[in-house]
Amino acid sequence: AIIVYDLDAKILAWNGGAERIYGHPRAAVVGNSLYNLLPPAARADAVDLVKRVLTSGKAATEVAQRLHRDGRPVTVSITVSAVRGGSGATYALISTERDITQQLRAESEMYFRRLADRIPALLRVEDVNGFAQFVNQPCCVFTGRPRDALLGEGWLQFVHPDDRPRYLAECATALSQRARLETDIRMRRADGVFRWMRSVSVPHFDV
């Protein structure tokens, strides 16, 4: 995305890349203040970035939060440079912005997976229906099964048949109440032996 704005932050140019990243058509934003499109918490940083460019005369780069037209947060890498006239005086700024939301999400997920695999405990992430979306490496070692075999309802086959109905009922109740659940269940180890395990489930809800 390329955005050009004057020293009062009035948008002078807004290319197709900006339309794709932020969802605002060119006609709707040119002539308006750039700061009106920013989340309130990001405006002070945006002003500071401009001051740094004007003071140093050099391009400045930062990672910032922006908003899509539909309200979705967008994380972007921004490089702002001065646009100078024939006299050498700065009369506008050009901002090159790249959407790195998916990149950061992928890096965050990779970091979580690596961290989870190092935890000396069985860790499982489930969706609202109780289907496992992720299990860590200790789960695979304990059960002797590959990760893919434990996803969905695969992990449930390792819960003792006598404990399974009670456990699922307790999970459903805890989820409906948005409550933490601590309970004891027996799980079958790779050698076929059932071991008592303390299961701790903590629900996570988007704000």
Side-chain angles (χ1 to χ4, degrees), residues 23-41:
H24 296 282
R26 178 182 179 279
V29 297
V30 170
N32 294 320
S33 173
L34 174 69
Y35 299 141
N36 291 339
L37 302 178
L38 307 185

Side-chain angles (χ1 to χ4, degrees), residues 4-142:
V4 180
Y5 51 98
D6 66 16
L7 301 185
D8 294 320
K10 184 174 72 174
I11 297 172
L12 306 176
W14 180 271
N15 77 345
E19 290 186 343
R20 286 190 296 273
I21 291 177
Y22 301 116
H24 296 282
R26 178 182 179 279
V29 297
V30 170
N32 294 320
S33 173
L34 174 69
Y35 299 141
N36 291 339
L37 302 178
L38 307 185
R43 291 171 188 168
D45 288 340
V47 171
D48 181 65
L49 182 63
V50 169
K51 287 180 179 178
R52 281 158 46 200
V53 173
L54 295 177
T55 301
S56 68
K58 299 178 181 178
T61 300
E62 71 174 10
V63 173
Q65 288 291 319
R66 297 290 185 260
L67 287 177
H68 189 273
R69 184 183 180 185
D70 63 11
R72 285 184 289 114
V74 181
T75 304
V76 291
S77 174
I78 301 173
T79 300
V80 176
S81 306
V83 180
R84 296 182 176 85
S87 65
T90 298
Y91 69 89
L93 296 136
I94 182 168
S95 180
T96 304
E97 310 189 2
R98 182 168 60 92
D99 184 357
I100 59 172
T101 307
Q102 294 300 325
Q103 175 188 331
L104 292 180
R105 184 174 294 130
E107 291 174 355
S108 177
E109 182 174 342
M110 184 178 297
Y111 174 78
F112 165 77
R113 288 175 179 268
R114 289 175 178 171
L115 182 63
D117 282 342
R118 294 189 180 100
I119 295 174
L122 310 187
L123 187 148
R124 187 177 67 255
V125 178
E126 300 176 354
D127 63 18
V128 294
N129 297 310
F131 298 137
Q133 303 298 304
F134 170 80
V135 295
N136 68 348
Q137 185 61 24
C139 286
C140 302
V141 173
F142 181 86

